């Protein structure tokens, strides 16, 4: 899937950033959140929002990692206003 490919690319980027630790002599790390349209969002604002949520999950998971947003079909549908 496109989300899977983007997540793999983000992990390669994270590893490249982490490898700078040797060059600089101190720990360098990155946490990344990945989302895409239309797998994880219906609009640009939702795309950014779900990427932000994935980023926070990566940080909460211990930092220096990649987290992908949850696919739309895996998320519960919001209840309609009564």
């Amino acid at each position: 899937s496109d989300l899977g490919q983007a997540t793999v690319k983000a992990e390669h980027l994270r590893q490249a950033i982490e490898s700078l630790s040797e060059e600089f002599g101190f720990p360098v790390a990155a946490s990344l959140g990945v989302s895409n349209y239309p797998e994880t969002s219906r609009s640009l604002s939702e795309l950014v929002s779900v990427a932000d949520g994935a980023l926070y999950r990566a940080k909460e998971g211990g930092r220096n990692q990649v987290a992908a947003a949850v696919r739309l079909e895996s998320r519960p549908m919001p209840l309609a206003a009564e």
Side-chain angles (χ1 to χ4, degrees), residues 2-15 34 66:
D2 291 340
L3 180 62
Q5 292 171 354
T7 303
V8 168
K9 288 183 186 284
E11 176 59 23
H12 290 163
L13 177 61
R14 188 205 61 76
Q15 290 173 3
V34 180
V66 173

Side-chain angles (χ1 to χ4, degrees), residues 16-39:
I17 292 169
E18 184 178 40
S19 74
L20 295 172
S21 298
E22 294 175 26
E23 181 179 333
F24 292 119
F26 56 85
V28 179
S31 295
L32 304 168
V34 180
S35 64
N36 80 330
Y37 176 87
E39 283 182 80

Side-chain angles (χ1 to χ4, degrees), residues 31-56:
S31 295
L32 304 168
V34 180
S35 64
N36 80 330
Y37 176 87
E39 283 182 80
T40 64
S41 57
R42 294 177 194 92
S43 66
L44 179 58
S45 62
E46 187 178 24
L47 180 73
V48 173
S49 177
V50 295
D52 191 49
L55 171 60
Y56 280 99

Side-chain angles (χ1 to χ4, degrees), residues 42 46 72 75-81:
R42 294 177 194 92
E46 187 178 24
L72 285 173
R75 285 192 261 158
M77 293 297 291
L79 297 174

